[in-house]
Amino acid sequence: MGTLNGIRRFLLGWMNREFLIFLFFLAVAGIFWLLMTLNESFEQEVKIPVRYVNVPGNVVITSGENDTLRYTVRDKGISLITYIYSQPLQPLSIDFARYAHDGRGTVSTSDLLRLADTRLPASAKAVGVKPDGLSFYYNNGESRRVPVKYRGTVEPDMLYYISDVAYQPDSMVTVYASAAMLDSISTVYTVPLSYSGFRDPLMVKARLQPMTGVKMVPDEVTILFQTDMLTEGTISDVPVVGINMPPGKVLRTFPAKLSVSFVTGMKNYQSISASDFLIVADYKEFSLTPEARCNVYLRRQPLGIQRVRLEQEQVDYLIEEHDAEQQPQ
């Protein structure tokens, strides 16, 4: 009780009453200063979305339908606070019929400022807009389906590799654009991705890279990168096959079969066999040299393997002559 009484006496003391009175008038002065300041005019950048009206039913806006413009607005401080932080500004209504012509529409800066004033309080004035002018594109529903591919760097841990890439909801998207642009679009790409060092399957959401005058549906995809642990494998007894052999000639190589070494995922390795590879020696090449050895080349290999190498790149050979009529068909 003694301590509480001491605190009470201290707070009610003459000096402290003077200090509290000083704080009160300081707060009142601060409030008056704030009110006077907010009553002055300021410029503030605000964002106003855009929407298009009077669009015919057969028309597709291919770009610009989600535009948001950045306006510089002059108004009293108290008003700026009210409509910037309390309630978002209503979208500007762009009359499609007024501005559209031959697949494109252009709205001038002066028209954008005039339209903004219809959405601002009476005391406010739009004095600038970014960007200068607004352009949009449209077509009459022409579209095509094109594949999606990711772009960027996606690299798993050094002991792993990407065994499969799957796109959801689909590896194809619908693009809407002018007929000339549709003919030139064969693939759409994601915005650049950057992922590295992962081991488990990686799922990412990626937006498609925007293109001027092109609308893509959907405009983002989910990509699943499947991973597998790398292993080094060897497939033996892959036969060497002669190609471009003239009728009646048969190639014999020594050895007749070779081994192929490679790196692949453990899951993929179990499904690989010798029939997935094709090793050839080309008669058109080795018949032009007197050498007793010929080069061999790997012409076919299964998907999903890396660092492929043959047991040897040259083999001994001889050409056997056979009656063409006795050759098996």
Side-chain angles (χ1 to χ4, degrees), residues 1-2 30 39 46 56 71 85 102 115 117 124 152 162 171 186 261 282-284 286 316 326:
M1 290 296 294
N39 200 43
V46 298
Y71 282 90
Y85 299 105
D102 289 339
L115 290 168
D117 286 337
I162 296 174
S171 60
S186 59
S261 298
D282 191 344
Y283 179 83
K284 289 183 178 179
F286 62 74
D316 295 323
Q326 298 178 359

Side-chain angles (χ1 to χ4, degrees), residues 4-280:
L4 292 175
N5 290 331
I7 294 174
R8 187 180 297 111
R9 285 194 301 271
F10 174 78
L11 292 175
L12 294 177
W14 181 84
M15 290 296 294
N16 288 291
R17 284 199 303 272
E18 292 291 325
F19 181 68
L20 291 175
I21 292 171
F22 168 77
L23 290 180
F24 171 76
F25 283 105
L26 180 63
V28 171
I31 292 172
F32 277 110
W33 174 84
L34 179 61
L35 291 174
M36 291 178 63
T37 301
L38 291 177
N39 200 43
E40 296 179 4
S41 293
F42 294 92
E43 291 187 358
Q44 172 70 39
E45 185 174 273
V46 298
K47 294 181 179 180
I48 305 180
V50 170
R51 69 178 180 184
Y52 296 92
V53 297
N54 299 326
V55 180
N58 64 329
V59 167
V60 177
I61 304 292
T62 58
S63 70
E65 72 268 40
N66 294 319
D67 279 331
T68 297
L69 301 175
R70 293 178 290 121
Y71 282 90
T72 300
V73 176
R74 181 183 297 125
D75 199 356
K76 293 182 178 180
I78 188 66
S79 298
L80 287 173
I81 292 176
T82 300
Y83 67 78
I84 290 177
Y85 299 105
S86 63
Q87 184 176 0
L89 294 172
Q90 294 298 311
L92 298 183
S93 294
I94 305 294
D95 187 350
F96 176 88
R98 177 177 179 180
Y99 297 102
H101 181 68
D102 289 339
R104 181 176 179 179
T106 301
V107 187
S108 67
T109 299
S110 59
D111 279 357
L112 291 176
L113 293 174
R114 177 181 56 78
L115 290 168
D117 286 337
T118 66
R119 290 290 181 265
L120 296 171
S123 61
K125 179 69 175 176
V127 296
V129 60
K130 296 179 182 178
D132 292 330
L134 173 68
S135 294
F136 62 91
Y137 297 82
Y138 66 94
N139 73 359
N140 294 317
E142 297 93 341
S143 66
R144 66 181 294 190
R145 298 271 290 168
V146 297
V148 177
K149 290 185 179 179
Y150 77 89
R151 177 175 280 167
T153 302
V154 182
E155 297 178 346
D157 183 86
M158 63 182 299
L159 298 179
Y160 289 73
Y161 86 113
I162 296 174
S163 60
D164 187 43
V165 180
Y167 296 85
Q168 300 172 0
D170 194 354
S171 60
M172 305 281 286
V173 299
T174 302
V175 295
Y176 296 86
S178 66
M181 292 196 69
L182 286 176
D183 290 340
S184 67
I185 300 173
S186 59
T187 306
V188 295
Y189 294 92
T190 67
V191 297
L193 306 178
S194 180
Y195 296 93
S196 61
F198 57 94
R199 296 187 176 187
D200 296 327
L202 174 68
M203 181 176 288
V204 299
K205 278 191 174 182
R207 295 193 62 82
L208 301 182
Q209 184 69 54
M211 292 184 282
T212 301
V214 178
K215 178 179 181 178
M216 291 169 278
V217 180
D219 61 359
E220 72 172 19
V221 293
T222 299
I223 310 176
L224 176 61
F225 297 93
Q226 294 282 7
T227 57
D228 196 3
M229 181 175 285
L230 289 172
T231 184
E232 194 164 351
T234 300
I235 296 294
S236 304
D237 298 329
V238 180
V240 179
V241 177
I243 60 173
N244 298 317
M245 300 298 295
K249 295 182 182 291
V250 176
L251 175 67
R252 303 293 184 194
T253 64
F254 306 94
K257 298 180 178 180
L258 297 175
S259 297
V260 183
S261 298
F262 53 87
V263 172
T264 188
M266 296 182 67
K267 298 174 186 176
N268 193 42
Y269 177 67
Q270 316 214 349
S271 64
I272 296 175
S273 64
S275 62
D276 295 320
F277 298 89
L278 175 63
I279 302 175
V280 302

